[in-house]
Amino acid sequence: EADIYQTPRYLVIGTGKKITLECSQTMGHDKMYWYQQDPGMELHLIHYSYGVNSTEKGDLSSESTVSRIRTEHFPLTLESARPSHTSQYLCASSPRTLPGQGTTNYGYTFGSGTRLTVV
Amino acid sequence: SQQGEEDPQALSIQEGENATMNCSYKTSINNLQWYRQNSGRGLVHLILIRSNEREKHSGRLRVTLDTSKKSSSLLITASRAADTASYFCATAPNAGNMLTFGGGTRLMVKP
């Protein structure tokens, strides 16, 4: 089973509230990612991190922010939730490709997701 | 924009039949990966095939890669109801680069 944990599993919250979605992994992976996915649709990368104190925005513009203070923890925060934020949020991690392993790549390990509903 | 696009978008078969899903991509890749997603859950990594490989097997899964056509196929043999899920392909332009996921094929296996 995946050693990456997301909480909460489901969240229903009112418009304007601040929320933090938690993501933790116990595999020591350097790279972590946040994806947004509407039901039955493709995944959109919204944030990623290559290590502690490294965070970048992804392809999909998002009003959320992330932090990476510890290797194992990559929380996502929405300062003011809106109905347009209603979606599933998936966290994933992968090992870093080491020098000399130019042709090596690894699969991602995903958490179970947080289904967010903003009313 | 999507790098990988799966075809068909949806597939319904009877238990015991084989299921074939295709993925096309646009730019050169280092590797291509297939993932499964059960409804409302995260994705699970199934198999990775490198650009210098043409075919790979894992249990009932068979993946092929044709870099000249920029396409891959995932074959699930002797399907089971438990195989019902969405299947996504993902590509990486270089080793260590981030994956780009396609839109997925929704597979339903009827008992």
Side-chain angles (χ1 to χ4, degrees):
Chain A
E1 293 297 321
D3 296 315
I4 182 165
Y5 307 98
Q6 288 187 243
T7 58
R9 186 79 180 84
Y10 301 94
L11 179 62
V12 180
I13 199 161
T15 299
K17 299 291 185 182
K18 177 180 178 180
I19 57 170
T20 296
L21 308 185
E22 300 289 347
C23 177
S24 294
Q25 50 99 1
T26 59
M27 297 169 285
H29 287 171
D30 286 313
K31 298 181 179 179
M32 297 189 74
Y33 317 86
W34 276 104
Y35 287 88
Q36 185 175 340
Q37 183 190 30
D38 292 326
M41 303 298 285
E42 66 187 283
L43 282 73
H44 294 285
L45 179 68
I46 51 176
H47 295 285
Y48 61 97
S49 167
Y50 281 173
V52 171
N53 294 325
S54 152
T55 61
E56 301 287 344
K57 287 186 181 293
D59 303 323
L60 182 68
S61 176
S62 173
E63 294 161 342
S64 57
T65 59
V66 292
S67 63
R68 189 89 184 276
I69 298 172
R70 304 197 312 267
T71 298
E72 62 271 21
H73 195 213
F74 192 40
L76 181 145
T77 298
L78 276 167
E79 291 292 332
S80 179
R82 295 209 301 268
S84 60
H85 296 138
T86 294
S87 189
Q88 173 157 265
Y89 293 83
L90 295 170
C91 181
S93 70
S94 67
R96 177 167 52 97
T97 301
L98 299 175
Q101 294 182 341
T103 59
T104 300
N105 208 322
Y106 302 94
Y108 287 9
T109 301
F110 279 83
S112 296
T114 293
R115 180 161 299 282
L116 173 66
T117 303
V118 183
V119 297
Chain B
S1 63
Q2 266 173 248
Q3 160 73 320
E5 293 190 13
E6 285 88 340
D7 170 63
Q9 288 189 319
L11 180 61
S12 180
I13 60 174
Q14 293 294 134
E15 207 166 27
E17 294 179 340
N18 295 342
T20 299
M21 290 158 270
N22 303 295
C23 171
S24 60
Y25 56 92
K26 299 173 183 173
T27 61
S28 61
I29 61 171
N30 173 276
N31 67 87
L32 185 145
Q33 304 178 26
W34 285 91
Y35 289 77
R36 183 188 76 232
Q37 183 181 34
N38 290 91
S39 180
R41 310 294 293 186
L43 281 71
V44 175
H45 181 255
L46 294 176
I47 196 165
L48 180 155
I49 186 167
R50 295 188 174 84
S51 59
N52 61 354
E53 297 175 314
R54 291 296 166 259
E55 188 170 313
K56 208 162 182 180
H57 296 254
S58 176
R60 293 184 295 114
L61 305 180
R62 174 178 166 252
V63 170
T64 62
L65 179 64
D66 187 335
T67 53
S68 67
K69 296 181 179 178
K70 290 186 169 60
S71 68
S72 173
S73 67
L74 171 68
L75 168 69
I76 304 174
T77 60
S79 63
R80 305 165 182 167
D83 294 328
T84 293
S86 290
Y87 292 82
F88 293 84
C89 70
T91 56
N94 294 295
N97 277 54
M98 284 184 297
L99 294 176
T100 301
F101 288 83
T105 292
R106 279 152 287 287
L107 173 66
M108 174 173 288
V109 182
K110 299 175 184 176

